[in-house]
Amino acid sequence: MAGLGGTTTAHAASAMNGAWCNPALGYFPNGGHYGAPRDGGPHAGQDVTNSTGTAVYAAAAGTVVRRSWGGGLPGRSGEALVIDHGGGVYTYYGHLSAYRVALNASVSAGQRIADMGATGNVTGPHLHFEAHNGSLGSDTDPVPFMATRGVDLGGGWPSIDPESNGARVRAIQHLMNQRGSSLEIDGYYGPTSVTEVKAFQRDQGLVDDGQVGPLTWPHLVYELEEGVADGSHVRALQTVMNKRSAGVEVDGNFGPVMHTAVSNFQSANRLVSDGQAGPITWQALVG
């Protein structure tokens, strides 16, 4: 969806508002899709396969309303969490090996909430992810559900439209400032930030639609490693690291603490743990 024409006004009501993010890294296994045949009824979610212990994150802000075997829903098995996002929208995280949040806890988008596992009726470790829209029990295909919110559940770059808010917008602003802009780091992707991004897109030979999506992110991020000091690009990295529960100081310095934090994030997501922030690590962080 990135690279398509549009105006700020057309995007103003977009669901690609930065509120949602990828709950886990991995791959889609054969037969793990929504609606796949299962004993007792069609598969209610999308499986994301990786090894036991892989990080699982809240797909959006909300409240943990279920923390139990099967999440209290019929036909499910294994340790599970359910998050209430308000407005009748819920997400379900199943087959977990460990919980990292308590029942009734308030969680933020991208906060680590659990570890992937193989509890319950499974053939191997994976996250069983469901989206419920309208009420808990009204499951819908989570792949298009997340796509309309700018998230590639398969692990690609996200899409952030004008009028978005949040940590990824602050990261975009930091990255733009590293490239010569003088944006206020307020986390609001309003007209001033959009104008700067459109100019950047034109300079890069991209469609200047103002959407920061899969075509724009690779041009925007930097490859970073220990030793880079006092940089807005490092502040961008620290900002999205904190969205993923890193708890680092946003000081623009890529020192030993930052190296360890990046390495730990990579390890938790089963990436090459070299402590360097290249395109694959950036994509995992902002996705």
Side-chain angles (χ1 to χ4, degrees), residues 125-265:
H126 67 277
L127 171 67
H128 173 80
F129 179 73
E130 297 181 16
H132 296 243
N133 195 10
S135 65
L136 185 57
S138 301
D139 57 80
T140 187
D141 189 339
V143 175
F145 176 88
M146 296 295 280
T148 61
R149 288 156 177 79
V151 178
D152 180 353
L153 198 56
W157 296 98
S159 296
I160 306 293
D161 273 347
E163 295 300 309
S164 297
N165 293 275
R168 282 175 293 186
V169 175
R170 292 197 300 275
I172 291 166
Q173 291 167 331
H174 279 304
L175 289 166
M176 289 300 301
N177 285 352
Q178 184 67 28
R179 296 185 180 277
S181 297
S182 299
L183 295 173
E184 181 183 359
I185 310 302
D186 59 2
Y188 167 53
Y189 192 35
T192 300
S193 293
V194 171
T195 296
E196 293 290 302
V197 168
K198 285 183 174 182
F200 172 75
Q201 290 172 321
R202 289 193 296 271
D203 288 343
Q204 299 297 314
L206 304 173
V207 175
D208 59 341
D209 59 0
Q211 183 188 78
V212 182
L215 298 181
T216 298
W217 279 109
H219 292 267
L220 195 57
V221 300
Y222 289 79
E223 294 197 30
L224 298 170
E225 61 184 5
E226 187 173 354
V228 180
D230 195 25
S232 288
H233 46 1
V234 179
R235 293 183 183 91
L237 180 64
Q238 291 165 331
T239 297
V240 290
M241 285 284 295
N242 286 344
K243 182 179 177 64
R244 298 294 189 176
S245 303
V248 296
E249 183 180 359
V250 182
D251 61 1
N253 297 310
F254 200 131
V257 172
M258 187 63 182
H259 177 92
T260 298
V262 172
S263 181
N264 288 343
F265 171 81

Side-chain angles (χ1 to χ4, degrees), residues 12-31:
S14 170
M16 299 182 190
N17 58 12
W20 291 76
C21 63
N22 204 325
L25 290 186
Y27 64 90
F28 291 171
N30 292 333

Side-chain angles (χ1 to χ4, degrees), residues 31-38 41-44:
H33 58 277
Y34 181 79
R38 291 288 190 277
H43 196 227

